[in-house]
Amino acid sequence: MGSGAGTGTGARSRTATGTGAGTGTGVGTGTGAGDGADGASAALTSLQAFRAALAAKAPALDPGRPGLRAILALAALAIVVAGIFVWRTQPTPEPLPAPSPIPHQPAPPTQSPPAPSPTANVTVHVTGKVRKPGIYTLPMGARVADAVTAAGGPRQPTATSSVNLARRLIDGEQIVVGAPSGTPAGTGSGTAAQAPIPANDPATTVLDLNAATPEQLEQLPGVGEVLAARIAEFRTTNGGFTSVDQLQQVSGIGPRKYAEIRGRVRV
């Protein structure tokens, strides 16, 4: 009877037993290198199978040129839409309201100072038939009646018939109340009155420019109602005449007319 045994060490063990007519012993040993080669071969086979499956499905995943163009167009459209959306969602700056115009305030009108009057008051000498003769200061624009009242009034009711009570006072004049007929009622210079001249002879009457009434001025040669009023107005405006030559400053009196009347007037 014969027996044989073989033992191998590795990833796998193979045992072979044989029975024969003779006896003999045999031992065989194999390494694990055979098992590693089998694993690598299996991995390579799996990779090749994956590549084959991928290659089989690749035609279905390839969009082709028309499909690629469509994808690119959709991508471009998406970019444009996204850009528009981003632009529209940006905050819109609100314009600042225009500043309200400042109302124009006109400059206050400059008031020209009033023309200074020669004097704020007038000083006159009231004499004659009054209760309190003397020198009185009255406001500018006062009348002869005011001066007579300031002097206590006339001593006789008929004494004022020789003066024009409505005439404006002239600074520095003399008012003679109750003067005889033909005697000037007052003089601007305060000089004594001249001797009485018959009132019925106007051709020889010398008028005082500061005391004559417009009616008396009309007795001058070439002087009518309008020119007499101008002479009286000039006298009032300028505070009386200081010289006969000032007649030439009155509108309407030229050199010829002045030569005719200068001998008939005085101040």
Side-chain angles (χ1 to χ4, degrees):
M1 179 177 192
S3 60
T7 304
T9 302
R12 290 183 180 180
S13 296
R14 295 182 182 179
T15 302
T17 303
T19 302
T23 49
T25 302
V27 177
T29 303
T31 63
D35 292 339
D38 291 340
S41 177
L44 181 60
T45 303
S46 298
L47 179 60
Q48 290 177 351
F50 175 75
R51 287 181 179 178
L54 183 61
K57 295 181 180 180
L61 297 177
D62 186 9
R65 289 187 178 182
L68 183 59
R69 292 175 181 176
I71 292 174
L72 292 177
L74 289 175
L77 180 61
I79 293 174
V80 172
V81 171
I84 294 175
F85 176 77
V86 172
W87 177 74
R88 296 192 64 178
T89 54
Q90 289 181 350
T92 304
E94 294 291 337
L96 295 176
S100 57
I102 301 175
H104 176 68
Q105 297 181 353
T110 56
Q111 297 181 354
S112 57
S117 58
T119 53
N121 298 316
V122 292
T123 303
V124 296
H125 179 203
V126 184
T127 185
K129 298 180 179 180
V130 291
R131 299 182 186 277
K132 298 178 181 179
I135 297 174
Y136 294 91
T137 300
L138 299 171
M140 177 68 68
R143 310 281 179 169
V144 173
D146 300 326
V148 174
T149 302
R155 292 200 299 263
Q156 298 176 359
T158 58
T160 56
S161 60
S162 62
V163 294
N164 180 8
L165 297 177
R167 181 175 61 80
R168 291 181 184 272
L169 295 177
I170 301 172
D171 185 53
E173 72 170 313
Q174 183 186 57
I175 301 173
V176 181
V177 179
S181 178
T183 302
T187 60
S189 60
T191 56
Q194 294 182 347
I197 300 175
N200 56 359
D201 188 7
T204 58
T205 302
V206 177
L207 299 178
D208 187 340
L209 290 175
N210 291 322
T213 63
E215 291 77 12
Q216 293 173 331
L217 292 174
E218 291 180 21
Q219 300 175 5
L220 297 174
V223 177
E225 180 180 358
V226 175
L227 189 54
R230 291 177 183 174
I231 296 173
E233 181 181 1
F234 180 89
R235 178 179 62 192
T236 302
T237 303
N238 295 275
F241 287 90
T242 58
S243 68
V244 176
D245 294 341
Q246 286 183 302
L247 278 174
Q248 300 179 81
Q249 301 177 21
V250 178
S251 176
I253 298 180
R256 183 176 179 180
K257 189 179 294 295
Y258 172 72
E260 294 177 355
I261 64 178
R262 68 179 177 180
R264 300 279 308 279
V265 294
R266 63 180 179 85
V267 292

